[in-house]
Amino acid sequence: NAGVTQTPKFQVLKTGQSMTLQCAQDMNHEYMSWYRQDPGMGLRLIHYSVGAGITDQGEVPNGYNVSRSTTEDFPLRLLSAAPSQTSVYFCASSYEREYNEQFFGPGTRLTVL
Amino acid sequence: SQKIEQNSEALNIQEGKTATLTCNYTNYSPAYLQWYRQDPGRGPVFLLLIRENEKEKRKERLKVTFDTTLKQSLFHITASQPADSATYLCALWFTGTASKLTFGTGTRLQVTL
C-alpha cells in the first residue's frame, strides 16, 4: 500500500493564482482531512470529509475549496492564492472517524509570493 | 474554547535516559488523546492512542499516561536513543457533534550521545 500520497511536494505561486493540491489514499478510509502547519501554530484543520460526496469546513476554511467524488481522492483547491496561505499542507485519512489513528501524507510546501 | 499546551522549548536528554513530554489541556477532558511523532520535512506518524477511561497505555519503549484530574497527559520514552530525536505532537478529541481532532504545537526532543 502506498498509504496517503500528496502532490506536488513543493509549489510556488504568485498572489491571485489558483491551484489544486492532490491527495489520495489506498486504504479505503472514509475520513479524510486537510491541515495546514505553520510555525508556532500547530496543525489546523482546513476541511474534512466523512465519505464520498460529503465535505465540511474545519477551523480555517476561508480561501480553500474541497470536493470528494471518490473514496480515494480529496483535492484541496486554492481559489486565489494569498501570501497568508504560505504554509505546509498535510492531507490525512483515518478509518471511520477522526479520533482513530490518522495517516498523514508527506506534505506540500507552498509559498505564495 | 479548548487550549492544548505543549512545552515549546526543546527537551534535551542523554542517550539511555527516560524522556518525559507533557500535554496539558484546559476545560473539558478529551474522550481520546493521541501522540504523534514528526520528523523534519515529513508528515506526523501515529504512535499511541489513549481513551479517557484508561490511565496508561504502553507500546515497546513508549508509555502514555492520562490524568483527567490534572488535565494532563505524559508521554515517556524509556532508554532513549538518538533516533528518537523528533518533534512529538499530542492531539485531543472531545465528545460532541462539532468536535474535531485538535493538535498541540509539539515539543522537540533531542537525544544526545
Side-chain angles (χ1 to χ4, degrees):
Chain A
N1 286 352
V4 179
T5 58
Q6 290 183 239
T7 56
K9 193 158 180 62
F10 301 95
Q11 183 70 48
V12 179
L13 292 178
K14 293 181 180 177
T15 297
Q17 287 184 316
S18 62
M19 79 158 296
T20 299
L21 307 185
Q22 301 292 345
C23 173
Q25 53 92 10
D26 61 358
M27 297 172 283
N28 203 32
H29 285 167
E30 296 88 346
Y31 186 85
M32 296 186 74
S33 55
W34 276 101
Y35 291 89
R36 60 178 290 173
Q37 188 173 41
D38 303 290
M41 299 286 291
L43 288 159
R44 291 184 292 168
L45 183 65
I46 304 171
H47 284 285
Y48 67 96
S49 169
V50 298
I54 306 169
T55 64
D56 207 344
Q57 297 181 350
E59 180 186 356
V60 288
N62 292 341
Y64 308 94
N65 267 359
V66 292
S67 60
R68 183 101 179 264
S69 56
T70 67
T71 299
E72 295 78 19
D73 300 298
F74 190 43
L76 177 72
R77 280 181 286 277
L78 278 70
L79 309 172
S80 177
S84 61
Q85 294 179 303
T86 294
S87 187
V88 180
Y89 292 84
F90 290 103
C91 178
S93 74
S94 65
Y95 175 65
E96 286 190 343
R97 296 295 304 274
E98 67 269 30
Y99 53 65
N100 292 325
E101 172 185 355
Q102 295 290 311
F103 292 80
F104 282 86
T108 295
R109 183 173 293 275
L110 175 69
T111 301
V112 182
L113 303 175
Chain B
S1 62
Q2 290 287 347
K3 274 192 175 180
I4 302 170
E5 293 176 354
Q6 292 187 261
N7 195 340
S8 58
E9 291 183 15
L11 177 64
N12 295 294
I13 65 164
Q14 202 172 19
E15 182 181 22
K17 303 290 186 185
T18 295
T20 299
L21 290 77
T22 61
C23 176
N24 296 303
Y25 59 91
T26 60
N27 300 333
Y28 307 109
S29 283
Y32 298 86
L33 193 151
Q34 303 176 1
W35 283 89
Y36 290 81
R37 169 186 173 136
Q38 187 174 23
D39 292 287
R42 293 179 176 264
V45 175
F46 173 84
L47 296 174
L48 282 168
L49 179 152
I50 188 166
R51 295 174 175 81
E52 62 179 334
N53 60 349
E54 298 175 317
K55 295 273 191 243
E56 183 179 297
K57 187 73 77 73
R58 291 174 185 260
K59 179 182 175 183
E60 297 172 352
R61 295 185 296 112
L62 309 180
K63 184 177 83 171
V64 172
T65 62
F66 193 3
D67 190 325
T68 55
T69 302
L70 292 178
K71 296 187 188 296
Q72 181 181 78
S73 174
L74 298 179
F75 177 79
H76 306 273
I77 306 175
T78 58
S80 58
Q81 306 163 0
D84 294 325
S85 299
T87 296
Y88 291 85
L89 313 174
C90 68
L92 282 61
W93 188 89
F94 303 88
T95 303
T97 54
S99 180
K100 294 292 160 277
L101 192 64
T102 304
F103 284 82
T105 54
T107 299
R108 189 164 64 85
L109 173 67
Q110 185 71 41
V111 181
T112 55
L113 296 170

